[in-house]
């Protein structure tokens, strides 16, 4: 099991390390960050971490790229929920197994929307589900934007700060324990979906 999960992560890690020096690296990172906020299942941290390790001086710049692109993708997810629920949002929610419970979740969302956005932006809870839900229930766009900026920025800049602070020692740690970190990332991702499933 460890090998099955860690091998794709290892390939992504090695690819991201090599990509860090490429002149288009920030655009690739932005693309993943944008897509993850509306439909893509892989979190941008899996690119941010190796890129920041490979180019420590740009760690905070990469965090800024992640934040801006992720929030922009979140706005796209909001638009999907608000304007294209039946055409786009319902199939995405059905894919993640949440369509049949979404009405009950919407009621909860109307009451605690800002806090749910903050939780989804900072934790392993799938942010894409949160962004779409925000549009479906027409959460105040300014509240959504501020909660997204705060939570996404806090998450990515925390990661960048730790990588910048510990630098080479983090690189050694990550490369030594990458299989186990891959397992942890996998279960955190699954756990996030379970939390959402429990809420709705």
């Amino acid at each position: 099991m460890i090998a099955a999960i860690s091998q794709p992560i290892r390939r992504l890690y090695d690819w991201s390390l090599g990509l860090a020096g490429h002149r288009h690296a920030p655009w690739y990172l932005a693309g993943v960050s944008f897509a993850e906020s509306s439909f893509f299942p892989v979190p941008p941290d899996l690119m941010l971490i190796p890129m920041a390790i490979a180019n420590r001086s740009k760690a905070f710049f990469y965090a800024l790229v992640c934040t801006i692109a992720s929030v922009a993708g979140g706005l796209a997810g909001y638009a999907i929920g608000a304007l294209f629920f039946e055409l786009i949002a319902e199939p995405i929610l059905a894919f993640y197994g949440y369509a049949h419970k979404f009405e009950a979740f919407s009621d909860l969302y109307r009451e605690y929307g800002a806090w749910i956005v903050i939780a989804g932006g900072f934790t392993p809870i799938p942010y894409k589900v949160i962004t779409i839900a925000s549009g479906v229930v027409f959460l105040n766009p300014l509240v959504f934007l501020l909660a997204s900026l705060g939570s996404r920025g806090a998450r990515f800049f925390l990661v960048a700060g730790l990588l910048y602070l510990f630098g080479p020692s983090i690189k050694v740690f990550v490369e030594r324990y990458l299989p186990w970190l891959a397992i942890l990332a996998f279960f955190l991702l699954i756990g996030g979906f379970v939390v959402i499933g429990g809420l709705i």
Side-chain angles (χ1 to χ4, degrees), residues 33-34 37-38 69-79 127 131-132 144 148:
S33 300
F34 181 93
S37 294
S38 49
S70 183
V71 172
L75 291 172
Y78 185 102
Y127 184 56
T131 66
I132 293 171
F144 172 78
S148 294

Side-chain angles (χ1 to χ4, degrees), residues 13-187:
Y13 177 83
D14 292 339
W15 178 75
S16 299
L17 282 177
L19 186 67
H22 194 281
R23 62 193 179 98
H24 295 309
W27 290 106
Y28 296 130
L29 181 61
V32 170
S33 300
F34 181 93
E36 186 267 341
S37 294
S38 49
F39 65 90
F40 193 56
V42 177
D45 311 66
L46 295 182
M47 284 190 69
L48 171 63
I49 291 171
M51 287 176 65
I53 286 173
N55 199 337
R56 186 179 168 198
S57 64
K58 289 190 174 182
F60 293 108
F61 170 69
Y62 290 146
L64 180 62
V65 169
C66 276
T67 301
I68 293 173
S70 183
V71 172
L75 291 172
Y78 185 102
I80 289 172
L83 304 174
F84 306 106
F85 181 73
E86 292 184 1
L87 181 64
I88 300 176
E90 268 194 328
I92 292 174
L93 292 169
F95 177 80
Y96 289 107
Y98 301 138
H100 63 294
K101 299 180 179 178
F102 197 72
E103 185 176 345
F105 181 58
S106 296
D107 294 335
L108 180 68
Y109 206 103
R110 290 184 182 95
E111 187 172 356
Y112 301 106
W115 293 108
I116 294 174
V117 173
I118 290 170
F122 189 77
T123 68
I125 292 173
Y127 184 56
K128 63 195 68 56
V129 176
I130 302 302
T131 66
I132 293 171
S134 297
V136 172
V137 302
F138 294 100
L139 181 68
N140 185 305
L142 181 59
V143 170
F144 172 78
L145 179 62
L146 292 177
S148 294
L149 278 171
S151 59
R152 294 264 94 177
R155 171 173 166 169
F156 297 134
F157 276 91
L158 176 62
V159 171
L162 290 172
L163 294 171
Y164 183 84
L165 182 63
F166 294 104
S169 61
I170 284 284
K171 185 175 189 294
V172 172
F173 176 82
V174 168
E175 293 184 349
R176 178 178 297 174
Y177 296 106
L178 187 62
W180 295 104
L181 293 172
I183 293 289
L184 177 62
F186 174 77
F187 281 110

